[in-house]
Amino acid sequence: MPIDFITSTREFEDCLVHNKYLVANFTATWCGPCQAIKPLVDQMYENTAKYGNIEVVRIDIDAQSELASRYSVTSIPTFLVFESGELTKRLSSANVSELTQAFDQLALKATDGVRKGSGAKAVLMKVDDDELKSLVPKGYEILNPKILMSEFVSFNASPLLTVQTKDGDAPSANQLFKLEENSPVYSDADSQLLFYVPFTSVCKVYSVLLKVEKVTAVEGVALDEEDIAETQFPNIINVINGRVTLFDEAVLDTKHHHEKLEGKLVDGQWYECKLKYVRFQTCYGLSIFFDGEDEDYHTVVKQVVLVGVSGESAQPQFLQRLEE
């Protein structure tokens, strides 16, 4: 199981409450030393025989600036060690021996703690959709918890439901990509939808899973009956490796994955859009474009799940270089 990125201050506070021994790794995707030390941290985390009672979470300083400010993190990588919610040690370097020593010292104390996981892990554990699980091949994972929501951008997309989240926040288009508290979206002005989905680390993307569902006039739906009558499923999906912010560019199908969906989508079921893996082996973010057959209708999408390999995976050559 890869190390999770913290997605909110509240999630980190929950981690402190539920994990007696916790290491918070403050990092950033653009930080070279952070990426260099990452495989070592992953390797120790996966060594459950020795470090299984220590929880580790990552905090992207760009996405969680409030937490970085709270703990006076001014350089990265920074590792903060917490015991029973109290900050007991701070390391601000990518020094292999110092970090290993800190973990070893904490492991000697961590005889009565049990790793409880972070909020992101809890989300993954709540995926009880057997059909969805069957579409995640062995060796791959769901990448949605690795989305950097602070940089997520949607164009012409509005949340279909008006229900607030459990934190009291207004519904937003990014809920289309959430496994928990998921909400469908619809195209507002015309039939086109465009999303830029950045990752917290470089990923290899294997497939885009898409679910659609017919809209009905029930309480909490943002559309009235007349608009509901003019909704449709997407008949085209374009997936681009990188950031696209113009619809005219997203419509082109020459340099990315283009697929016609007409007749392929079934109400309430997942559709697997397999990508040409060679084009998506190094992804810092994806642009996903949908369009419907009738340009005057609202295109509706219920949920999108990304499958692949997270950049959290260890790179042995980096580890060897560090140890040398």
Side-chain angles (χ1 to χ4, degrees), residues 98-116:
E98 287 184 6
L99 186 60
T100 303
Q101 184 179 22
F103 266 78
D104 288 346
Q105 290 175 348
L106 189 59
L108 292 175
K109 299 179 182 180
T111 57
D112 57 341
V114 178
R115 188 185 289 176
K116 298 291 181 64

Side-chain angles (χ1 to χ4, degrees), residues 66-291:
E66 181 181 340
L67 283 172
S69 177
R70 174 188 294 187
Y71 293 105
S72 302
V73 175
T74 57
S75 64
I76 50 176
T78 287
F79 297 87
L80 302 184
V81 178
F82 295 86
E83 299 177 41
S84 300
E86 296 295 325
L87 177 60
T88 60
K89 193 176 186 65
R90 176 189 294 263
L91 293 173
S92 296
S93 75
N95 186 288
V96 172
S97 61
E98 287 184 6
L99 186 60
T100 303
Q101 184 179 22
F103 266 78
D104 288 346
Q105 290 175 348
L106 189 59
L108 292 175
K109 299 179 182 180
T111 57
D112 57 341
V114 178
R115 188 185 289 176
K116 298 291 181 64
S118 70
K121 275 194 177 67
V123 170
L124 282 173
M125 291 171 63
K126 290 181 180 178
V127 178
D128 55 3
D129 187 327
D130 290 336
E131 183 187 4
L132 176 57
K133 289 179 180 178
S134 70
L135 294 172
V136 182
K138 184 177 180 181
Y140 294 88
E141 62 182 306
I142 293 176
L143 298 175
N144 292 48
K146 308 300 180 183
I147 296 173
L148 184 59
M149 288 301 182
S150 63
E151 300 297 326
F152 175 93
V153 184
S154 63
F155 302 89
N156 197 40
S158 296
L160 183 63
L161 304 181
T162 60
V163 181
Q164 290 184 332
T165 68
K166 65 181 181 181
D167 294 327
D169 297 329
S172 62
N174 66 21
Q175 287 177 265
L176 177 70
F177 292 84
K178 291 188 176 181
L179 303 178
E180 188 181 53
E181 291 195 288
N182 164 252
S183 177
V185 302
Y186 68 94
S187 60
D188 195 359
D190 53 37
S191 61
Q192 297 182 333
L193 291 160
L194 178 59
F195 306 93
Y196 173 61
V197 186
F199 297 120
T200 55
S201 61
V202 64
C203 295
K204 298 179 182 180
V205 186
Y206 170 78
S207 65
V208 176
L209 306 181
L210 169 66
K211 180 179 279 190
V212 294
E213 188 174 78
K214 292 181 180 178
V215 183
T216 56
V218 296
E219 185 178 356
V221 172
L223 300 177
D224 58 28
E225 291 190 12
E226 183 176 348
D227 282 327
I228 290 175
E230 296 181 346
T231 58
Q232 62 186 345
F233 294 160
N235 73 336
I236 288 175
I237 179 173
N238 290 343
V239 185
I240 305 104
N241 184 352
R243 180 165 184 160
V244 172
T245 57
L246 298 176
F247 280 98
D248 288 346
E249 186 177 355
V251 168
L252 300 174
D253 60 5
T254 56
K255 294 184 178 180
H256 53 250
H257 182 89
H258 170 76
E259 187 167 341
K260 294 182 178 179
L261 303 173
E262 186 175 1
K264 298 180 179 179
L265 302 181
V266 178
D267 185 22
Q269 295 184 15
W270 288 103
Y271 175 75
E272 183 180 30
C273 176
K274 287 187 178 180
L275 305 180
K276 292 182 178 179
Y277 206 43
V278 66
R279 293 186 178 182
F280 298 90
Q281 288 198 43
T282 305
C283 295
Y284 292 91
L286 292 180
S287 295
I288 303 177
F289 169 80
F290 295 103
D291 201 357

Side-chain angles (χ1 to χ4, degrees), residues 13-88:
E13 291 170 347
D14 287 344
C15 287
L16 285 176
V17 170
H18 294 108
N19 294 282
K20 188 171 182 178
Y21 303 98
L22 176 71
V23 176
N25 174 197
F26 286 82
T27 183
T29 56
W30 45 263
C31 169
C34 297
Q35 304 309 313
I37 198 70
K38 181 190 296 183
L40 173 64
V41 182
D42 289 342
Q43 188 180 70
M44 290 190 292
Y45 186 74
E46 292 167 4
N47 184 359
T48 54
K50 188 172 184 179
Y51 305 110
N53 292 336
I54 303 171
E55 181 57 282
V56 182
V57 294
R58 286 197 168 102
I59 301 174
D60 187 293
I61 62 168
D62 295 323
Q64 304 300 327
S65 57
E66 181 181 340
L67 283 172
S69 177
R70 174 188 294 187
Y71 293 105
S72 302
V73 175
T74 57
S75 64
I76 50 176
T78 287
F79 297 87
L80 302 184
V81 178
F82 295 86
E83 299 177 41
S84 300
E86 296 295 325
L87 177 60
T88 60

